[in-house]
Amino acid sequence: MFSLLTAAIIGTIFAFLATQNTVPVSIHLGGYTWTNVPLFVVAIASLLVGLIISWLLSIVNWAFSSMTIRNKEVRAQKAETSISQLQKRILELENRNTELETKLQNKGMGDDLDESSPLHRLTHSFSH
């Protein structure tokens, strides 16, 4: 509905412009000359050329924006992959650390239980 209303308003403006500006003008572009062109045609053509140029510039801006967003998405995906790999590595290292601590504790308790070792007998003999 909004676009229909906008088109009607713009059409009314162009119709008013066409009825008020019927004066013929000459257009000189390089070596070419157009004579007896109504002034409203020049105004509407200027508007259309401006719209086309702004549309082309917006397409270029859109292309650069989409490339920038794509690059950021790729970098974010790489960062997420790296974080995931690092978290796995941390878990592996924590598990390995737990295993080593368990072995160390078991080894320490084994020395206490092994009463036949020479070191244990020597320390036991000095204590008595």
Side-chain angles (χ1 to χ4, degrees), residues 28-45:
H28 302 282
L29 184 63
Y32 299 102
T33 302
W34 291 283
T35 58
N36 295 328
V37 178
L39 184 60
F40 74 90
V41 172
V42 174
I44 292 172

Side-chain angles (χ1 to χ4, degrees), residues 85-99:
Q85 290 173 346
L86 289 172
Q87 286 175 339
K88 287 179 185 177
R89 180 68 178 147
I90 287 171
L91 185 60
E92 290 172 3
L93 290 173
E94 286 176 346
N95 289 339
R96 179 69 179 147
N97 190 24
T98 303
E99 289 174 9

Side-chain angles (χ1 to χ4, degrees), residues 7-123:
I9 291 171
I10 291 173
T12 304
I13 292 171
F14 284 154
F16 180 74
L17 186 71
T19 59
Q20 298 296 315
N21 296 299
T22 58
V23 177
V25 294
S26 296
I27 300 174
H28 302 282
L29 184 63
Y32 299 102
T33 302
W34 291 283
T35 58
N36 295 328
V37 178
L39 184 60
F40 74 90
V41 172
V42 174
I44 292 172
S46 298
L47 175 69
L48 292 177
V49 169
L51 287 173
I52 290 170
I53 290 172
S54 66
W55 177 69
L56 290 174
L57 290 175
S58 71
I59 288 176
V60 170
N61 187 27
W62 171 82
F64 281 117
S65 296
S66 66
M67 285 190 306
T68 302
I69 290 170
R70 175 70 179 143
N71 287 339
K72 289 183 179 187
E73 287 175 351
V74 167
R75 286 188 355 210
Q77 182 66 32
K78 286 181 182 179
E80 288 176 5
T81 302
S82 177
I83 288 169
S84 175
Q85 290 173 346
L86 289 172
Q87 286 175 339
K88 287 179 185 177
R89 180 68 178 147
I90 287 171
L91 185 60
E92 290 172 3
L93 290 173
E94 286 176 346
N95 289 339
R96 179 69 179 147
N97 190 24
T98 303
E99 289 174 9
L100 291 173
E101 286 176 351
T102 303
K103 285 182 182 179
L104 185 61
Q105 287 175 357
N106 288 342
K107 186 176 180 183
M109 289 196 306
D111 285 344
D112 292 341
L113 296 176
D114 188 13
E115 295 180 8
S116 63
S117 71
L119 182 62
H120 180 63
R121 287 187 300 221
L122 182 65
T123 56

